[in-house]
């Protein structure tokens, strides 16, 4: 794969972790121990292993010092553990600093502990907790007079907003951090704030503003004569250059960063520079240098147990081998890289790699290998989609439970009011007997009102339960039915009614259509995930217009849709596939001034499918339609492949057909229909649409659209 977008994310994460932890506390370097800690702070950022040895030697002396020195020491030690991958120890030390700040009522110490907790939680991929801690740290820091610490906390809050994709408040926080840093008259806080602001401009694709601030950042880093700071600035320049398509400048900046990082032995920066250099040479199709730098990156990453860098290096080597025509070696390296992603649990990145791996195999002519990779990618895609769905259901359940608790509190409050009123009434009865009748009447009225309110509350509860049930059966983005609803529907209707002939004598059948958006990743990468959501909504609306109200339309997962048509003429199944292809490809979305249009690939079949007089279960029918969809993908996309039925079934078996649908088709056991979408840039395929006997001799591979 070309590692551009993924490595840009790695660069941003690395720079963010470095920059958020780099602002010293002003006015603390008054004792020899404080001065030594100030010197260690800078080296620990780039060579944490070396700094940790010195910090442990100072531990007894630092823990016996005052609260400010003790908090600074424990925070630095926690950060060194975090940077070398020992996050559990780092979190324990961060908790100790928080406890110290609370016990001594020292908000500076408390802020440092909260910030370190936020950074460690970020490294553990617990973004929600990390962002909450960053917001709390900023609030506490603003109650202090420590300006550098306030700069650090403000940057952390801005980075939290950026990680949530909430760029307007993130930009406001970063600009506040830069303005505050300028008032300190110190280079380090300003350098850190500017670097973080440039990184945010890069994420927002405001590259001109990023380059505007880059010159000042480089001037500050050069004035400090710090190789680590200068290397970080060059990595920032590399990121901007890659994103603005300046490969020569990016390569030069990365080579300079590597030289600077090696001067101080900063292994984290060295491994990052090496893997980025391998990416740069891969983009230039310089495969020997790609392998050379990727091998060096592997060696550096293994020493640091850096699984993501190892995985990237393996993937780059695999793509280089495949580019050199060494397909077997390329496959081995790609599998090694994917194994590292699986080991680190990075399934979103593994899904992206599988998609690009499958495309590379497809271009190399290994259609079988590409189909296997696409199946692996689809399995992971379904897992991620299911996790997102479960998360949404859990969030709804949490909201429901919170509302339920609030209702219970209100009900208890009303009950307490009633009990208080009854006690007062009893006392009043003892003193004023003649008011007894009035008190009983009032009590009856109150009980009646409460009874009505309880009934109203129960009715509202039932309405909420019905809403929750409806939400659990619908996809929140497209408002189509979700996979769970379709599965429950099919399980409840295993005995479908027998179809017969229509009024004109036509054979009436059901039908299944499974469609997948072609090159959907290009839309997300080129225009953003909001554009991808707009494309999915467009497809959902088109399917509602193309199909009938009685047809069930399902968002099957990710960019995949399924339609179940309960009753149509058998002769009209191909026409519906053709209408789906034409209806979606002819629709253009105007998104932020860009014209976006997409094609889909479709697999379809009449339902039920009946080999040897025994209808297939709906799960196996959907599986055959899915295999037909992958044939459409492998044979050029923007087309529909349909399983009409089975021929000479006594000479084969359903298991053999399911194992390799294409081979069964070639052997003459499957009647396969092919419907082509509008493809003006491609030659018309020569496969026959319905003739089984001639299908095996017809060309199967149609060049895929880019």
């Amino acid at each position: 794969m070309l590692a551009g977008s993924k490595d840009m994310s790695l660069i941003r994460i690395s720079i963010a972790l470095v920059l958020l932890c780099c602002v010293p506390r002003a006015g603390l370097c008054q004792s020899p121990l404080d001065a030594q800690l100030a010197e260690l702070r800078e080296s620990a950022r780039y060579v944490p292993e070396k700094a940790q040895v010195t910090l442990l030697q100072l531990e007894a002396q630092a823990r016996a010092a005052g609260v400010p020195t003790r908090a600074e020491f424990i925070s630095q030690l926690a950060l060194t553990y975090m940077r070398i991958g020992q996050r559990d120890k780092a979190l324990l030390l961060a908790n100790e600093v928080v406890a110290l700040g609370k016990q001594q009522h020292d908000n500076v110490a408390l802020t440092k502990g909260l910030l370190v907790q936020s950074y460690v939680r970020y490294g553990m991929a617990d973004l929600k907790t990390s962002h909450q801690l960053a917001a709390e740290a900023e609030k506490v820091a603003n109650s202090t007079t420590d300006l550098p610490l306030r700069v650090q906390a403000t940057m952390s809050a801005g980075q939290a907003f950026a990680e949530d994709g909430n760029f307007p408040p993130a930009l406001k926080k970063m600009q506040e951090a830069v303005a505050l840093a300028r008032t300190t008259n110190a280079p380090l806080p300003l350098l850190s704030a500017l670097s973080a602001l440039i990184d945010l401009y890069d994420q927002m694709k405001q590259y001109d503003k990023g380059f505007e601030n880059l010159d000042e950042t480089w001037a500050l880093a050069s004035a400090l004569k710090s190789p680590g700071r200068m290397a970080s600035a060059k990595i920032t320049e590399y990121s901007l250059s890659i994103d603005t398509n300046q490969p020569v400048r990016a390569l030069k900046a990365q080579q300079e960063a590597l030289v600077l990082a090696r001067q101080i032995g900063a292994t984290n920066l060295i491994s990052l520079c090496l893997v980025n250099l391998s990416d740069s040479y891969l983009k230039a199709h310089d495969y020997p240098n790609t392998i050379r730098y990727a091998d060096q990156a592997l060696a550096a990453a293994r020493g640091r147990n850096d699984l993501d860098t190892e995985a990237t290096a393996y993937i780059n080597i695999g793509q280089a081998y495949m580019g050199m025509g060494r397909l077997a070696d390329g496959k081995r390296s790609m599998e090694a890289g994917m194994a590292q992603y699986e080991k680190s649990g990075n399934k979103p990145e593994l899904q992206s790699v599988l998609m690009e791996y499958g495309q590379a195999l497809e271009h190399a002519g290994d259609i079988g290998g590409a189909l296997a990779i696409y199946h692996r990618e689809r399995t992971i895609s379904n897992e991620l989609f299911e996790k997102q769905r479960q998360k949404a259901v859990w969030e709804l359940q949490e909201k429901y439970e919170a509302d339920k608790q609030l209702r219970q509190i209100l009900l208890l409050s009303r009950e307490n009011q009633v009990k208080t009123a009854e006690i007062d009434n009893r006392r009043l009865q003892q003193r004023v007997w003649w008011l007894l009748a009035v008190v009983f009447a009032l009590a009856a009225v109150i009980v009646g009102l409460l009874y009505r309110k309880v009934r109203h509350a129960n009715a509202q509860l039932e309405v909420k339960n019905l809403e929750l049930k409806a939400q659990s059966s619908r996809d929140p983005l497209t408002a189509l039915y979700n996979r769970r609803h379709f599965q429950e529907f099919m399980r409840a209707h295993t005995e479908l009614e027998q179809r017969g002939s229509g009024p004109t004598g036509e054979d009436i059948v059901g039908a299944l259509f499974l469609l997948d958006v072609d090159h959907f990743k290009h839309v997300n990468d080129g225009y953003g995930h909001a554009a991808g959501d707009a494309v999915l909504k467009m497809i959902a609306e088109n399917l509602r217009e193309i199909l009938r109200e009685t047809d069930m339309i399902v968002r099957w997962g990710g960019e995949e849709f399924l339609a179940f048509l309960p009753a149509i003429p058998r002769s009209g199944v191909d026409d519906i596939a053709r209408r789906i292809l034409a209806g979606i490809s002819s629709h253009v979305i105007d998104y932020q001034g860009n014209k976006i249009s997409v094609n889909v690939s479709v697999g379809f079949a009449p339902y039920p499918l009946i080999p040897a007089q025994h209808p297939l279960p709906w799960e196996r029918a959907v599986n055959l339609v899915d295999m037909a969809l992958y044939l459409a993908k492998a044979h050029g996309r923007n087309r529909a492949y349909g399983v009409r039925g089975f021929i000479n079934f006594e000479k084969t078996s359903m298991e053999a057909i399911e194992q390799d649908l294409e081979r069964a088709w070639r052997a003459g056991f499957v009647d396969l229909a092919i419907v082509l979408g509008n493809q003006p840039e491609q030659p018309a395929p020569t496969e026959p649409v319905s003739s089984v006997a001639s299908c095996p001799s017809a060309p199967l591979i149609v060049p895929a659209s880019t």
Side-chain angles (χ1 to χ4, degrees), residues 394-443:
W394 289 336
E395 288 176 352
L396 286 172
Q397 186 65 29
E398 288 178 359
K399 183 178 183 299
Y400 167 75
E401 293 295 337
D403 291 342
K404 181 179 178 181
Q405 290 178 0
L406 180 60
R407 288 194 298 271
Q408 290 175 342
I409 291 171
L410 291 174
L411 186 59
L412 288 173
S413 177
R414 294 190 185 103
E415 290 176 354
N416 289 335
Q417 291 175 5
V418 172
K419 290 179 181 178
T420 301
E422 289 176 353
I423 293 173
D424 291 341
N425 287 336
R426 288 171 187 166
R427 291 175 180 173
L428 187 61
Q429 288 172 11
Q430 294 174 0
R431 297 178 183 179
V432 191
W433 289 100
W434 61 273
L435 291 176
L436 184 61
V438 176
V439 171
F440 279 118
L442 289 174

Side-chain angles (χ1 to χ4, degrees), residues 161-322:
F161 280 120
E163 288 157 6
D164 282 334
N166 198 356
F167 291 129
L171 181 59
K172 181 181 178 182
K173 290 293 182 185
M174 292 303 184
Q175 290 173 337
E176 288 177 0
V178 171
L180 189 61
R182 293 190 187 281
T183 66
T184 64
N185 296 320
L188 284 176
L190 180 57
L191 176 59
S192 303
L194 284 171
S195 299
L197 179 62
I198 294 171
D199 181 61
L200 179 60
Y201 279 136
D202 192 13
Q203 295 178 60
M204 295 171 64
K205 302 186 185 304
Q206 297 183 13
Y207 306 120
D208 292 341
K209 293 184 178 180
F211 280 115
E212 287 175 6
N213 290 276
L214 183 62
D215 291 339
E216 184 178 2
T217 302
W218 175 252
L220 288 169
S222 301
L224 288 171
K225 297 181 179 180
S226 167
R229 299 280 184 175
M230 294 165 70
S232 297
K234 284 297 177 181
I235 291 175
T236 301
E237 181 182 356
Y238 165 81
S239 177
L240 286 170
S241 301
I242 283 292
D243 288 342
T244 54
N245 196 24
Q246 301 182 61
V248 175
R249 181 175 181 178
L251 180 61
K252 183 175 182 293
Q254 197 62 73
Q255 289 171 336
E256 292 174 354
L258 179 59
V259 172
L260 291 166
R262 281 175 169 167
Q263 287 180 14
I264 56 174
T267 54
N268 57 339
L269 291 182
I270 290 172
S271 61
L272 181 63
C273 291
L274 289 170
V275 79
N276 286 339
L277 281 171
S278 74
D279 285 336
S280 296
Y281 283 114
L282 183 60
K283 292 181 178 72
H285 304 292
D286 185 348
Y287 301 127
N289 273 324
T290 299
I291 297 172
R292 171 191 168 197
Y293 283 104
D295 283 337
Q296 294 180 42
L298 274 176
R302 289 194 187 105
R304 301 175 53 250
N305 194 26
D306 186 348
L307 297 181
D308 284 340
T309 300
E310 284 188 51
T312 305
Y314 276 124
I315 295 300
N316 289 345
I317 292 172
Q319 290 199 17
Y321 279 143
M322 293 176 74

Side-chain angles (χ1 to χ4, degrees), residues 109-177:
L110 178 57
T111 301
K112 289 184 177 182
L114 290 171
L115 286 172
V116 177
Q117 283 181 334
S118 175
Y119 307 149
V120 176
R121 289 293 183 185
Y122 180 92
M124 293 178 171
D126 185 0
L127 296 186
K128 181 178 180 181
T129 304
S130 173
H131 297 168
Q132 290 172 347
L133 290 167
E136 185 180 355
E138 184 194 21
K139 182 178 179 181
V140 177
N142 287 336
S143 68
T144 72
T145 58
D146 192 329
L147 292 182
L149 187 63
R150 288 171 60 188
V151 172
Q152 178 183 357
T154 305
M155 285 193 301
S156 299
Q159 189 68 30
F161 280 120
E163 288 157 6
D164 282 334
N166 198 356
F167 291 129
L171 181 59
K172 181 181 178 182
K173 290 293 182 185
M174 292 303 184
Q175 290 173 337
E176 288 177 0

